[in-house]
Amino acid sequence: MIVTFRYEQAMKEDITGELQQSGLLIQELYDQLQPDDWKSFLGKLSDLRQIYIQVYDSNGSELLSTGRREMSTEHQQKLEQSVNTVLAGEALIIPYMDGPRPVMLTMGMTIELAGERHVMFLEPGLSAQSRNFRDMNLSIIAITLAIGSILIIVAARYLVKPLKLMTLATRSISRGQFDVNLSTSSKDELGQLAASMKQMASELGQFERMRQDFVSNVSHEMQTPLTSISGFAQILGREDVSTSERMRYSSIIEMESNRLSRLSDNLLKLASLDSDHHPFIVKSYRLDRQLRSVVWSCEPLWSAKEIDLRLELDEVKLEADEDLLGQVWMNIIHNAIKFTPDRGAIQIMLSKTDKEAIVVIRDNGIGMNESELGRIFERFYKADASRHRSESQGGSGLGLAISKKIIDLHHGRIKVKSEPGKGTEFQIALKVRLSGG
Ligand code: ADP
C-alpha cells in the first residue's frame, strides 16, 4: 500500500501527460486527414494508441464509445455531468478506482469533429497491465505474509521451547529435584540463562546434600553420648552396683553430658558465625599474652602427659576479636596436646613481619596423611574415628571448622603441614591492623 501510494502521484502525472498528447495528436490527425467517418477513424486510433475514447455531443449524449469495458454507472454519470464543464473550455481529469488500487483516470477535452465541438474522454487502455500489476502486488503481499508467518512461528518455537523447558526445570527444582535436564548448547542469552539455571540447580542440590549430611552428622554425634548416658543411668539404677562403679559411671555420664554441651555450643557458634550476625568486636591487644594465657589454662592437660611445651613469643600487638581468636588457639593447642603422645613436645612461636603476625603451633604427635590433611577443616571430620574415640575427650570434628571460619573473618590464612608419625604444624598469619587493609 505504501509503495502504491508513493508512486500513485507519479503515475497520475505520466498518464495525464500521455493522454493530453494523445488528445492533441488525434485532433491534429483528424484536421489533416479530414476522414468522412470520424467514428471509425477514432475507433482505429483507439486501437492504435491503446486508449479508450468516448465522444459526447454538446447536449451530453454519447456518440461513440470505443471498447471501454464495464464502466461503473457512477463513473459514467460523472463523465456525463462534466460534459458542460469541458465544453466551457476546461480540460478535466476525472480519477476513478479500478478495484482497490491503483487509481486510474479519465481525461476530458474538447475536439472539433465535422465542424462541431464535441467532448472527448480519453482513458488509458492499461486494464490488463494494471490488473497484472495489482495481482502481482497482491501476490507479493500474500507471499511475504506467508513466509513472515512461517518465520515468526519458527522463531516463536525456538524462543518458547527453551522457556518451556526452563519453566519445567524451575518446577522440578521447587519440588526438590535438582538434576534438571536443560540443554545448554546455544550461546545466546537464553542459552546463558539455561546454563546458569543448571548451575544453580546443581549448587542447590549440593547444598541440599550438605544439609542432609549435616543433619545426619549432628544426630550421629548426639546419639553416641545419649546412648551411653541412658545405658549408664540404667546401670546406676540397679541396686547391686558398688560405690566405686557408681562413681565411675556417674563420671562417664558427666563427661558425656559435657561432650553434648560442647557439641551444642559449637553448633550454635558455627550457626552464629555462618549467619554473619555474630558480634565481631575488634580491639587492639597483645597476642603473645593471649597465647601464654591459653597455654597456662591447659597446663593440667600437657603436664599430665609430661609434654615438653616451649614458647617462643615475640611481643606482638594485634587488632582482632580477642574472644574469637582465643577459641582458635584453644582448639589448635588442645588438638596438639590431644594428638601428641606422653613425653612428646609442642612448640608455640609468635613472630611478626611488616604487616602480619605469624603464629606457629608445632607438635611431634601422630600426624596426618595427605588425604586426612585435605579434610580437617570440614565440619564433623575426624581423621580416624576409631582412634579418635579412644583418644578424645569428646571431639566432634567442629573445632578446626570453627577456627578456619574465625580466621577467614579476620582475613587471615591458616596452613597445615603434617606427616604421619612425625607431627603436625599449624601456621596462622593474621593482619596486625585489620583496618589498614
Ligand atoms: P576435634 O574436635 O575432633 O579435634 P577438629 O576439627 O579440631 O576436631 O580436628 C579435626 C581432626 O583433625 C581431628 O579429629 C584430628 O583427626 C585431626 N587433627 C587436628 N589437629 C591435629 C594434630 N595436631 N595432630 C594430628 N591430627 C590432628
Side-chain angles (χ1 to χ4, degrees):
M1 298 290 249
I2 291 170
V3 170
T4 316
F5 182 76
R6 164 90 174 65
Y7 289 104
E8 201 173 280
Q9 195 54 37
M11 261 169 70
K12 247 189 208 171
E13 279 164 19
D14 279 358
I15 294 172
T16 317
E18 252 174 62
L19 291 181
Q20 233 160 5
Q21 277 225 311
S22 302
L24 291 175
L25 194 69
I26 290 170
Q27 181 74 74
E28 230 175 278
L29 281 175
Y30 179 82
D31 290 347
Q32 277 179 13
L33 300 175
Q34 292 292 334
D36 297 336
D37 185 358
W38 61 264
K39 283 189 185 172
S40 82
F41 174 71
L42 287 190
K44 295 207 173 79
L45 279 183
S46 150
D47 284 349
L48 193 67
R49 291 288 291 182
Q50 287 267 306
I51 43 178
Y52 299 122
I53 303 178
Q54 269 174 299
V55 179
Y56 288 78
D57 66 12
S58 48
N59 303 324
S61 8
E62 188 187 279
L63 301 180
L64 170 79
S65 173
T66 62
R68 171 99 169 69
R69 21 121 234 157
E70 69 305 329
M71 177 190 283
S72 71
T73 40
E74 194 194 337
H75 191 62
Q76 183 74 47
Q77 275 169 4
K78 254 196 205 162
L79 294 188
E80 281 162 17
Q81 282 160 11
S82 46
V83 168
N84 285 332
T85 329
V86 179
L87 274 176
E90 270 179 63
L92 257 198
I93 298 164
I94 306 158
Y96 70 94
M97 303 286 276
D98 179 32
R101 254 155 212 261
V103 165
M104 298 294 286
L105 55 87
T106 306
M107 174 137 207
M109 57 182 70
T110 51
I111 185 168
E112 285 259 347
L113 295 168
E116 260 184 64
R117 260 157 63 86
H118 289 77
V119 172
M120 178 170 70
F121 290 107
L122 300 179
E123 197 176 294
L126 299 169
S127 61
Q129 287 98 315
S130 95
R131 228 174 258 268
N132 283 346
F133 181 65
R134 195 186 58 203
D135 289 352
M136 193 177 81
N137 268 355
L138 286 177
S139 325
I140 289 177
I141 291 173
I143 291 172
T144 313
L145 279 180
I147 294 179
S149 310
I150 291 172
L151 287 181
I152 286 177
I153 290 172
V154 171
R157 285 203 141 255
Y158 177 75
L159 288 175
V160 166
K161 202 177 153 208
L163 286 177
K164 271 190 178 161
L165 277 177
M166 278 185 240
T167 312
L168 286 179
T170 43
R171 284 207 192 114
S172 83
I173 291 172
S174 67
R175 280 198 305 270
Q177 292 160 5
F178 297 107
D179 65 345
V180 292
N181 179 22
L182 281 174
S183 68
T184 51
S185 50
S186 64
K187 296 263 178 293
D188 56 8
E189 285 75 6
L190 276 177
Q192 286 171 10
L193 181 62
S196 6
M197 208 163 201
K198 213 170 164 181
Q199 191 186 351
M200 180 191 76
S202 102
E203 276 168 20
L204 279 175
Q206 223 172 340
F207 193 70
E208 175 62 15
R209 276 192 295 282
M210 266 168 63
R211 195 186 64 83
Q212 284 167 359
D213 284 355
F214 188 80
V215 171
S216 82
N217 275 326
V218 171
S219 352
H220 177 78
E221 286 297 325
M222 290 175 78
Q223 200 54 45
T224 325
L226 282 175
T227 313
S228 78
I229 288 173
S230 84
F232 287 115
Q234 255 176 11
I235 299 175
L236 278 181
R238 293 211 306 253
E239 283 176 2
D240 56 339
V241 185
S242 69
T243 317
S244 66
E245 276 175 329
R246 203 177 289 275
M247 296 279 283
R248 197 161 72 82
Y249 296 152
S250 64
S251 85
I252 294 176
I253 290 178
E254 191 189 342
M255 200 178 77
E256 294 294 336
S257 314
N258 286 340
R259 181 168 155 180
L260 268 180
S261 150
R262 268 200 310 276
L263 174 69
S264 77
D265 272 357
N266 280 339
L267 283 174
L268 283 175
K269 173 136 291 145
L270 258 183
S272 167
L273 288 170
D274 278 343
S275 75
D276 289 338
H277 293 307
H278 191 85
F280 190 62
I281 304 156
V282 177
K283 64 174 185 191
S284 181
Y285 70 95
R286 286 271 298 274
L287 181 57
D288 51 315
R289 287 195 188 141
Q290 185 184 35
L291 284 166
R292 210 178 295 275
S293 91
V294 171
V295 168
W296 280 116
S297 74
C298 35
E299 191 266 349
L301 298 177
W302 49 266
S303 56
K305 291 176 98 173
E306 295 178 44
I307 286 174
D308 173 18
L309 206 149
R310 291 194 189 175
L311 298 179
E312 289 169 33
L313 307 177
D314 289 351
E315 202 181 295
V316 175
K317 243 187 165 194
L318 185 76
E319 273 179 16
D321 185 314
E322 192 173 1
D323 277 355
L324 288 180
L325 277 191
Q327 285 166 40
V328 174
W329 314 134
M330 195 66 110
N331 280 335
I332 296 177
I333 295 172
H334 263 225
N335 279 345
I337 299 171
K338 205 155 73 177
F339 298 110
T340 300
D342 291 358
R343 282 179 288 284
I346 295 178
Q347 254 179 310
I348 300 175
M349 289 164 284
L350 169 63
S351 57
K352 194 183 152 197
T353 66
D354 256 5
K355 292 183 178 164
E356 285 183 327
I358 312 282
V359 180
V360 175
I361 299 169
R362 186 184 298 151
D363 65 60
N364 65 354
I366 58 173
M368 287 169 275
N369 62 31
E370 288 276 310
S371 73
E372 292 170 335
L373 206 54
R375 298 189 57 192
I376 54 172
F377 295 115
E378 282 176 22
R379 294 171 184 197
F380 297 106
Y381 178 74
K382 297 176 222 168
D384 177 348
S386 57
R387 171 192 82 190
H388 198 86
R389 206 171 296 141
S390 58
E391 287 275 354
S392 80
Q393 300 295 313
S396 56
L398 289 175
L400 285 179
I402 294 176
S403 305
K404 170 98 169 66
K405 184 91 201 173
I406 293 174
I407 287 167
D408 285 348
L409 282 177
H410 284 84
H411 308 294
R413 285 170 284 129
I414 180 164
K415 279 196 291 194
V416 200
K417 285 189 272 187
S418 189
E419 228 180 292
K422 293 233 167 106
T424 305
E425 179 185 301
F426 280 84
Q427 198 189 85
I428 296 109
L430 290 163
K431 289 195 174 116
V432 184
R433 292 174 60 82
L434 255 189
S435 42

